[in-house]
Amino acid sequence: MSEPTKFSLVKPTIDTPFHIDFEWWKQHDSDWRVFLFNLLCDYHQNVYKDQDENVVIDFIDPKTAEVKSVDGLLHTLLNHCAKMTDFTSHDSSLVSTVFRVFLSNNNQPLSPNDLSKIINRPANTILITLSGPTVYKGIRPFDKK
Amino acid sequence: MVAPKSLDPEYWEHFTVDQDDIEFLYNQLLELEIPQTQNSLIKLIVSNRIKNIRDAQEKEKEKVGSLLYLPKNSYEIGQTLIFPSMDWRNGQVDNVRKGFNPEFESFNVIDITFENGEKTSFASNLENHPLNNISATVATDPLLDINHVIEFYGDQLLNVLEKNLEKNTELVRIAGCWFPKALLVDINNGHLNLVEAVLEENKGGPLSTRQLLDQIEFKSPVNSQLMEFSLNYVLQDDQRFDEVGPAGEVLWHLKDMEPEDVRKIPSFLQYDKFDYDHEIVKPFLAQFEGDLFDELEEWEKVQVNVSEIKVSLIFPHWRSGTLPLSHSLSRLFPTAYEAPRVCFTFVDEENKKLFPGWVVRPHKYVYGLKEWYKANGLMPGSLVHLKKGDQPGEIKVFQEKCRQSREWMRTALIGSDQGIVFGMLKQNVFTTFNERMAIAVPDPDGFEEIWKTTNNKKEDINRTILRIMRELSKLNPQIHAQELYAAVNILKRCPPGMILNFLLTHKDIKHLGDLYFRISESSEGVDL
């Protein structure tokens, strides 16, 4: 298991990139899988409802038929459900919306400025929310290291 | 070795012709019995290569049979499989287990160790996967599509093929077509003598191969294309005959009956190549005023629209009855793949009379206008209009006539010391002309004699230019480069670039702007 990243001492700005730090989230929120499950589309909620929440699946490469063992919930969420057109358009809180944006873009780092253009909320509001004392759903500044 | 799934682009990029290709072409030509162009031959080779690759792939697939990894099949521990998606590498099954993925009903996972020790896993017993249809993947490879290969690699393949065929002694080429030498129809000396007689009767030619075969009444059971090709081949090797047809047409002429100025470069057009810095003169060449085309000038701007061109004559071409085959004019006149001399027809636009013309490709001039220049009263500097004729291989020639008038013209005369002098004299003028280049030459025979003298031939070109510049200065000290170009060419063949190089680099010549120059006053009279 990789060591969770520590807080940076540098104060984030509206240009500081953020992302979902899954490792940090796993360490600090025992309900993170429940939350992920709720984000699955109806079809996949049905598929995974009887599975262990830590289920590992055999992902089959669509071109080569190579098999890789991957985290079932996360893989399905990132590669299928988060790609659905209405995934980011749910009427929800700022934090949930930002979280969905990161899931839909394969967790590519985005700054409050970038996010502001996507979710149409002020960059400063996003910055204040994400850089406050509470870390929501593992969303933290992206450490380039 | 199993053929790769997708062909490596290097296969066509580094294409070479091997003995199998030559044998294949030989057999194809044998079967077709018709000589083929290089374009057709390369298509035959590419199509054969693609067929061979596909056959090899099919054979390998059959040979490896059940050993070819397909996701739909079931495998056991210890089996060695070939993986098309992994560059067709071999790997052994180490373990088989039940696979789990809620997306698929049931499948197995086989753990594989490749020959290089690399380990990975693959799905088996999986019905629904694109890799199960491997032949469809191979079929879509663009490098195995003849149209794609010809479009992207055609020119390069043609070059390689041409070099190989030229080295091959069993295949012969004429007029862009190839055929096995051994299969040509036997044509003997008697036939060739008959051809010579037929051409002689027709003023030397030109006649097509078909016309020649008909007139010598040559009979053979083979097809007419092969008969023509065979006759062309023997005529090509016989010094008596010359192939003079434009591209795509084979016409024969008796070499001895071709005009002397076609067989040998006219003395007025001979030029002793002189090296000079082309970069210096390039920007100034563009300032020469229209209608100037010179076959010796490599840097001529090519005209895009070449359906009609107006050429300003210089003395050497006027006297030889020729035109310069510069870049622009070469696009107007008929050309050929191989024939150095191309016979075509001039059409006098005014009276519709036809007369023969010759494109002499190696020496870059067009011959056949001597009588026409004389009959129409042209002089050095006159404008000759040319345009494509109504029939292929025809060129219309005409001049803008002006009412006969007497005008003050720059006139070149021979001085008492046999040197050139210039004066302004009244001359009869019959045609429109380029004002900078027009020079009346009342005694062309006299200049022809001077042209032939050893002194004139041996004189350094820079000396000749300076001598003529001094003579022109007597009429007007400011001399335009284009006027000097026309004047120098009365004594010596010289391209405009050479004139400019002299004017721009000589220490005693002053550049006055545009293309005007003058000799420095301090050096006037000094023998430079």
Side-chain angles (χ1 to χ4, degrees), chain A residues 85-139:
Chain A
T85 47
D86 61 344
F87 185 75
T88 54
S89 61
H90 282 265
D91 188 18
S92 53
S93 68
L94 185 147
V95 170
S96 291
T97 309
V98 168
F99 187 77
R100 282 172 182 267
V101 168
F102 281 124
L103 288 180
S104 69
N105 81 345
N106 280 331
N107 203 20
Q108 293 299 306
L110 293 171
S111 68
N113 245 341
D114 301 326
L115 288 162
S116 166
K117 289 168 198 158
I118 299 169
I119 65 172
N120 206 20
R121 305 281 277 270
N124 260 330
T125 310
I126 299 170
L127 175 66
I128 290 164
T129 310
L130 299 185
S131 59
T134 311
V135 175
Y136 297 101
K137 295 167 185 169
I139 302 173

Side-chain angles (χ1 to χ4, degrees), chain B residues 38-302:
Chain B
Q38 237 154 253
N39 280 329
S40 307
L41 294 181
I42 199 66
K43 279 182 188 164
L44 286 171
I45 288 186
V46 171
S47 135
N48 185 52
R49 288 278 189 108
I50 290 173
K51 182 182 172 296
N52 289 344
I53 292 167
R54 286 196 187 284
D55 287 351
Q57 286 174 340
E58 285 303 317
K59 269 186 197 165
E60 287 297 338
K61 268 201 280 177
E62 280 169 25
K63 198 165 75 183
V64 296
S66 58
L67 296 178
L68 185 75
Y69 166 71
L70 296 175
K72 66 182 175 187
N73 290 346
S74 174
Y75 301 104
E76 290 170 9
I77 294 173
Q79 269 187 301
T80 299
L81 306 177
I82 293 167
F83 291 83
S85 60
M86 307 297 283
D87 289 336
W88 297 70
R89 283 189 289 158
N90 289 338
Q92 191 175 312
V93 182
D94 291 338
N95 186 37
V96 182
R97 66 172 171 85
K98 253 336 226 176
F100 172 72
N101 187 325
E103 302 286 330
F104 301 94
E105 272 193 9
S106 76
F107 67 97
N108 284 347
V109 175
I110 52 173
D111 296 332
I112 299 294
T113 304
F114 286 105
E115 286 165 325
N116 62 358
E118 183 189 337
K119 289 176 185 290
T120 187
S121 303
F122 287 87
S124 67
N125 303 83
L126 181 69
E127 280 299 329
N128 191 16
H129 194 279
L131 203 58
N132 285 323
N133 189 13
I134 180 95
S135 54
T137 315
V138 174
T140 54
D141 185 354
L143 295 176
L144 292 176
D145 172 32
I146 183 165
N147 294 327
H148 176 88
V149 174
I150 294 294
E151 187 184 340
F152 284 88
Y153 303 97
D155 289 346
Q156 182 199 336
L157 302 184
L158 272 173
N159 278 338
V160 174
L161 178 64
E162 185 172 21
K163 279 179 192 156
N164 272 270
L165 293 180
E166 279 170 353
K167 279 188 256 167
N168 190 298
T169 51
E170 293 178 8
L171 293 169
V172 290
R173 170 173 60 178
I174 190 156
C177 289
W178 293 87
F179 202 71
K181 194 175 177 180
L183 301 176
L184 295 180
V185 180
D186 188 29
I187 293 173
N188 58 36
N189 271 338
H191 295 125
L192 294 178
N193 292 339
L194 281 174
V195 169
E196 187 181 15
V198 168
L199 285 171
E200 239 174 48
E201 269 178 32
N202 287 278
K203 297 179 182 171
L207 290 178
S208 69
T209 318
R210 183 73 260 160
Q211 288 171 313
L212 291 172
L213 282 167
D214 288 345
Q215 294 209 29
I216 65 173
E217 295 180 357
F218 186 79
K219 298 277 187 289
S220 171
V222 302
N223 67 65
S224 63
Q225 277 170 285
L226 185 50
M227 271 167 59
E228 283 180 32
F229 189 87
S230 303
L231 180 58
N232 285 337
Y233 179 65
V234 287
L235 290 176
Q236 179 185 244
D237 271 2
D238 192 312
Q239 290 300 310
R240 287 172 290 177
F241 309 103
D242 201 11
E243 202 277 290
V244 297
E249 198 178 349
V250 180
L251 297 173
W252 291 99
H253 203 284
L254 273 183
K255 214 174 256 178
D256 283 348
M257 292 181 78
E258 285 173 357
E260 192 185 346
D261 283 346
V262 170
R263 281 183 283 131
K264 284 195 296 184
I265 180 167
S267 56
F268 291 108
L269 300 187
Q270 288 170 15
Y271 168 61
D272 294 327
K273 199 169 169 61
F274 190 91
D275 283 332
Y276 58 90
D277 189 347
H278 297 278
E279 287 306 313
I280 294 178
V281 304
K282 214 170 164 181
F284 293 93
L285 270 176
Q287 295 179 39
F288 271 70
E289 290 163 13
D291 324 322
L292 191 152
F293 300 97
D294 195 304
E295 75 275 17
L296 302 177
E297 200 49 72
E298 300 284 326
W299 283 263
E300 177 193 302
K301 201 170 113 188
V302 176

Side-chain angles (χ1 to χ4, degrees), chain B residues 491-508:
Chain B
L491 286 187
K492 225 174 192 118
R493 187 70 188 91
C494 183
M498 180 65 221
I499 303 276
L500 279 170
N501 179 69
F502 170 85
L503 293 170
L504 293 164
T505 58
H506 199 289
K507 62 184 173 58
D508 294 314

